[in-house]
Amino acid sequence: MNTQSTPLTPAALLSEADARMTQALGNFFQRSHAPLQGSVLRAIAAQMTPSAIATGQACLDWLNTRPDALSTAFVDQFRLHLARPEAFTLRHDSRPAELQLLDDDALKRQLAEEKSAAQLTEVLRANMLQLFGRLQAVRRAASEDPADHANVYGPLPVVRALSRALDALDIDSPCGTLLLQCAAAPLLDTLKHTYTALYQFLGVQDIPELPVAHAAPLLPRSTPSDAGQAILEHIQPVATQANEIDPAKYKRAVGRPRAHPAAIAAGCAPSRHRCT
């Protein structure tokens, strides 16, 4: 006999989405070891100088001996971002860009961050717009700012979290920059499938997809790759006790009884293509 699960409140949905997004990054370096190693080897082969070889070898040593430490630091930095997203708006401090004097290594790192984030954003734009449309509905229902989706789950904060993780492990700047550059392709695969999984999760919860400004044409759906399937299997539900949650707790969380996804859909019914 089928039993109806207790619907999650907007606040609970946002918490679950945060947990799944974080979990998807939790074993990034273990899962992406082969493509990362291949990218580093290709970078060494393209520039056979003593310094390039030394930097590449240092990267390989980290990938081969401490992938768990790399993944843990990555997740820790992303959790810090979720707790204080405004702290990730600028890379190191809040000074205007024109007042900052960066050495060559710091400048190369900053440029690598921005280039990777821009490339990921361009490729993932359709996936992001789908997910952010549903996140916008949840955030409005939870009385949170619905506008800054890209500052929460977008490629730029993910890339910056990875960059800060490399710094936190005291990896020298050239090695960290090379790792960051080599992580672009595995990050693309991870974010693509994670965005899709979160979009589907919110869809199962009957969350409407609100229009997002400047929407790009959606790309055709494709069958997940083996790597994508591994990502989807990794981000299993982290709130498996959802059916056991006391509805009274939801009432206290949102200030009204049984604030569930159906209510979100009713409250965000489109009027002239906008949510009122």
Side-chain angles (χ1 to χ4, degrees):
M1 182 177 64
N2 294 331
T3 58
Q4 186 175 5
S5 61
T6 303
L8 296 172
T9 64
L13 284 172
L14 290 176
S15 178
E16 174 73 4
D18 283 353
R20 293 188 182 206
M21 184 71 186
T22 303
Q23 193 178 23
L25 305 177
N27 66 349
F28 174 76
F29 282 92
Q30 295 94 320
R31 187 178 63 244
S32 307
H33 179 269
L36 283 167
Q37 185 180 57
S39 294
V40 172
L41 291 173
R42 286 191 294 272
I44 295 174
Q47 191 176 0
M48 294 292 290
T49 63
S51 61
I53 293 172
T55 297
Q57 185 58 56
C59 292
L60 292 174
D61 289 343
W62 275 96
L63 293 174
N64 292 330
T65 63
R66 300 191 63 190
D68 53 340
L70 289 165
S71 292
T72 298
F74 189 8
V75 168
D76 288 345
Q77 290 297 321
F78 189 73
R79 287 197 180 104
L80 289 175
H81 154 65
L82 291 177
R84 295 185 60 233
E86 70 281 357
F88 275 61
T89 302
L90 294 176
R91 185 177 182 275
H92 288 299
D93 54 45
S94 58
R95 291 177 297 168
E98 63 269 21
L99 298 182
Q100 299 185 42
L101 296 177
L102 302 178
D103 59 32
D104 287 345
D105 288 338
L107 180 59
K108 289 178 181 177
R109 175 67 66 83
Q110 183 172 324
L111 292 175
E113 290 178 7
E114 294 173 355
K115 181 178 179 180
S116 293
Q119 292 174 337
L120 291 170
T121 299
E122 183 63 28
V123 177
L124 295 170
R125 187 176 302 278
N127 304 85
M128 293 165 62
L129 289 171
Q130 285 184 315
L131 173 60
F132 296 169
R134 284 185 171 158
L135 282 174
Q136 181 173 327
V138 181
R139 291 185 179 279
R140 285 185 177 179
S143 300
E144 294 192 12
D145 183 3
D148 292 334
H149 316 295
N151 290 339
V152 181
Y153 293 163
L156 181 57
V158 173
V159 169
R160 282 184 171 159
L162 175 54
S163 182
R164 293 187 181 198
L166 300 174
D167 289 341
L169 291 171
D170 291 327
I171 298 176
D172 69 90
S173 187
C175 179
T177 298
L178 180 57
L179 282 173
L180 191 69
Q181 293 168 334
C182 292
L187 271 180
L188 172 62
D189 201 43
T190 295
L191 291 179
K192 178 179 178 64
H193 292 285
T194 302
Y195 290 162
T196 300
L198 288 176
Y199 172 78
Q200 293 172 348
F201 162 69
L202 294 176
V204 170
Q205 304 297 320
D206 294 327
I207 303 301
E209 183 179 340
L210 299 184
V212 178
H214 309 298
L218 298 183
L219 299 177
R221 299 183 184 276
S222 58
T223 303
S225 63
D226 291 341
Q229 187 62 40
I231 297 167
L232 296 179
E233 291 174 356
H234 179 66
I235 53 175
Q236 295 299 318
V238 296
T240 55
Q241 301 87 359
N243 293 341
E244 303 174 5
I245 298 177
D246 183 359
K249 293 181 181 179
Y250 291 140
K251 181 178 179 180
R252 291 194 297 271
V254 297
R256 60 181 183 275
R258 295 182 62 80
H260 51 75
I264 300 175
C268 293
S271 176
R272 296 184 180 179
H273 306 291
R274 295 187 61 182
C275 186
T276 56

